[in-house]
Amino acid sequence: MRQFVRLCIGECYKTKHTIIPALHIGIPLVGSVALLLYHHFSKVETMVQLSTFSQLIGLAFPFIVSLVCACQIALEEGNHFQTFLGGSGGWLHSFWAKCLVLQIAGGASVVIGMGSFALGESYLLGNVDLPSILYMEIAAGLWLGSLIQYPIHLFLNLRFSQSVSMGIGVIQSVLAALLITGLGEGIWQFLPCSWSIRFSAEILKRFLGLGTDFGRGIFGLISISVCAIISLWFQYRGELAAASAHAE
């Protein structure tokens, strides 16, 4: 455990002076300010404003995650993958340490975006008819729905290339836009790219008393399956590298 914590701290130090922190701070702030300016002139209802903002975040999440993961792996490439090849934690621990740090950073980014939007709604637009807990629940739903995207796109970057990961990220964002409509009813639970946008939509539906369409068990099953497959691949990759080194 201590070794894993040290790996996480090392990941934080490595990304401290890169573009990755700027992406996690700048993108949600720019998006929040842009939507607040639009809503200032459009004069739509507060619930519609919140729904639009949360859906835009959920829609962009797959591509943004692929972009952040591509930047992270590009940093590793610049260091000749020393973390994976020469680190004491091995391939598997290094991968999940990197993944956890990015997931926490993603959560902070969602909090920044939703928090700035909520403050703008309350103090700039004067819309105080929605409770603060609703903003918090939507932020939590957006973040929880995005967690599985990080190991997927880190794996795609390492196994294939940055262009493959970002291309799939674009496809996932398009799918998320389709699955928020009636086309996604009954099937969105099986497609992780839609989880963020659908989680936020279901939370809003529950708040309005319209009922929800959650299938809690399938989310955990799919997440565990994806993580297990990735872990097995890294375990095999690590054993293969060790065997090659021993043969030399």
Side-chain angles (χ1 to χ4, degrees):
M1 178 60 72
R2 290 182 179 179
Q3 185 182 47
F4 186 77
V5 172
R6 285 197 296 268
L7 287 172
C8 292
I9 294 173
E11 290 296 329
C12 293
Y13 280 121
K14 281 197 301 184
T15 58
K16 184 177 181 181
H17 299 292
T18 66
I19 194 176
I20 295 175
L23 289 175
H24 283 96
I25 297 173
I27 292 177
L29 284 178
V30 170
S32 175
V33 171
L35 262 294
L36 287 171
L37 289 174
Y38 171 76
H39 292 321
H40 176 71
F41 294 104
S42 64
K43 303 297 182 181
V44 297
E45 295 182 359
T46 308
M47 181 61 71
V48 176
Q49 296 176 15
L50 178 57
S51 175
T52 302
F53 184 63
S54 62
Q55 287 184 17
L56 286 176
I57 294 177
L59 181 67
F61 235 133
F63 175 71
I64 293 175
V65 170
S66 70
L67 176 62
V68 170
C69 291
C71 292
Q72 184 70 30
I73 299 305
L75 178 64
E76 288 295 333
E77 288 180 350
N79 294 326
H80 305 289
F81 293 99
Q82 293 179 6
T83 301
F84 292 100
L85 298 176
S88 60
W91 281 81
L92 191 59
H93 288 172
S94 299
F95 175 85
W96 287 114
K98 191 181 298 295
C99 185
L100 179 61
V101 169
L102 289 179
Q103 287 172 332
I104 293 173
S109 183
V110 173
V111 170
I112 291 172
M114 190 60 67
S116 60
F117 184 79
L119 290 174
E121 285 284 344
S122 299
Y123 295 101
L124 297 180
L125 303 184
N127 298 325
V128 294
D129 49 337
L130 294 180
S132 300
I133 189 65
L134 180 60
Y135 291 99
M136 296 170 62
E137 288 180 352
I138 291 176
L142 288 168
W143 179 60
L144 290 173
S146 73
L147 292 181
I148 193 60
Q149 295 295 328
Y150 289 93
I152 290 174
H153 283 284
L154 283 175
F155 172 78
L156 291 173
N157 275 277
L158 288 167
R159 179 62 182 85
F160 300 102
S161 66
Q162 298 173 17
S163 58
V164 169
S165 173
M166 294 180 68
I168 291 178
V170 172
I171 295 173
Q172 287 179 322
S173 290
V174 174
L175 277 176
L178 293 175
L179 293 172
I180 193 61
T181 66
L183 295 174
E185 297 300 328
I187 63 172
W188 69 269
Q189 297 94 337
F190 301 94
L191 298 170
C193 61
S194 69
W195 288 358
S196 284
I197 194 169
R198 291 295 305 224
F199 280 3
S200 63
E202 296 301 320
I203 290 170
L204 283 172
K205 285 169 61 179
R206 186 186 63 183
F207 178 78
L208 295 173
L210 301 178
T212 59
D213 186 26
F214 281 114
R216 294 176 179 83
I218 193 64
F219 303 131
L221 181 61
I222 292 176
S223 299
I224 292 172
S225 299
V226 170
C227 293
I229 292 170
I230 293 175
S231 296
L232 287 173
W233 184 84
F234 273 101
Q235 186 69 26
Y236 169 76
R237 183 67 178 268
E239 291 176 356
L240 186 63
S244 298
H246 181 72
E248 293 177 357

